[in-house]
Amino acid sequence: MEDMFITPLQPWHLTETGSVDKGASGQTVIEGTEGISAFKSVFEEMIDNVRSTEDNLAKQQYLLATGQIEDPHTVGIASSEAQLASDMLVSLRNKALEAYNEIMRINL
């Protein structure tokens, strides 16, 4: 179970005081700059994941083209992994933009 391709995301609550807490519901509350760095690290991890799956796909395609691969089905698996990683990154970006736009619509 440790070698899962996609790590499940946990909900975060961001505030401005600068500490990490457990909320009343038992959820992790990340505050201040730690919240920003945690948010940033999620995107960095997803981008690294896309890069690594794309590199793996390119390697598998090269091995297939040169006849050095034993299991040709690994190319299809690598392709699916790369596509899924890209789709996840795009979905994450879209959700972040939707959240930003919703925050901007709030009247203070």
Side-chain angles (χ1 to χ4, degrees):
M1 199 72 164
E2 294 177 22
D3 297 333
M4 289 181 61
F5 178 70
I6 299 173
T7 305
L9 297 177
Q10 301 297 324
W12 292 331
H13 301 282
L14 305 177
T15 62
E16 294 183 23
T17 61
S19 65
V20 178
D21 233 350
K22 286 285 185 184
S25 62
Q27 296 178 338
T28 302
V29 177
I30 301 173
E31 301 177 345
T33 58
E34 291 178 12
I36 293 170
S37 65
F39 185 76
K40 180 181 174 184
S41 71
V42 168
F43 277 98
E44 288 175 346
E45 183 180 332
M46 288 300 297
I47 290 169
D48 290 340
N49 192 4
V50 169
R51 284 186 185 135
S52 68
T53 56
E54 290 289 332
D55 290 343
N56 183 35
L57 175 60
K59 178 184 172 189
Q60 295 296 325
Q61 288 173 335
Y62 173 79
L63 292 175
L64 180 66
T66 58
Q68 300 176 29
I69 198 164
E70 292 181 17
D71 298 324
H73 69 278
T74 57
V75 177
I77 294 170
S79 175
S80 296
E81 287 178 348
Q83 183 65 42
L84 184 60
S86 297
D87 290 346
M88 282 288 294
L89 179 61
V90 169
S91 295
L92 187 62
R93 181 210 58 187
N94 290 344
K95 287 294 182 182
L97 286 174
E98 287 175 19
Y100 174 78
N101 288 332
E102 187 67 28
I103 290 170
M104 298 315 291
R105 282 192 285 260
I106 294 174
N107 292 329
L108 297 177

